[in-house]
Amino acid sequence: RAAGAGPVSTLDFAGIDTPTLRREVRTWRQAHPGQSIESLLAFTETLWRRNVFELRQFSLELLVEIRNKLTEAGVVLEDGPDGTRWSRK
């Protein structure tokens, strides 16, 4: 590691770019219509537990895509400098 370099991630990387990942999120949503909020949150939590950058990014992109549905169910997405986090009201 070079002197002065930023922190090194411990996550595995599959090399999938963001536009492709977002397209996959939309495709997944179309293939799984009618998922309950609880089911979607459980799925995103499962993805987040994996030590793979793209699975965590998929989780966040899915939460962002269903933001309005989450808000109606009392789930708040908070955008910050370290990314998007969610919590219940």
Side-chain angles (χ1 to χ4, degrees):
R1 188 171 127 180
V8 175
S9 176
T10 60
L11 298 176
D12 294 330
F13 288 86
I16 301 170
D17 61 79
T18 299
T20 300
L21 192 82
R22 287 179 176 156
R23 198 168 40 252
E24 290 301 318
V25 169
R26 286 189 302 275
T27 299
W28 186 89
R29 287 282 292 138
Q30 291 171 354
H32 299 88
Q35 294 288 315
S36 70
I37 291 297
E38 294 303 322
S39 174
L40 290 169
L41 290 175
F43 181 60
T44 60
E45 288 173 349
T46 298
L47 292 175
W48 192 263
R49 286 188 202 112
R50 300 291 307 272
N51 201 29
V52 179
F53 175 80
E54 288 83 358
L55 292 178
R56 289 183 176 192
Q57 185 180 7
F58 189 102
S59 174
L60 291 175
E61 293 292 341
L62 180 57
L63 290 170
V64 168
E65 183 167 303
I66 61 170
R67 184 180 295 253
N68 291 338
K69 194 173 185 181
L70 292 170
T71 301
E72 292 169 7
V75 176
V76 178
L77 293 181
E78 300 166 359
D79 296 321
D82 295 327
T84 304
R85 299 184 185 274
W86 69 270
S87 62
R88 292 197 180 269
K89 288 183 184 177

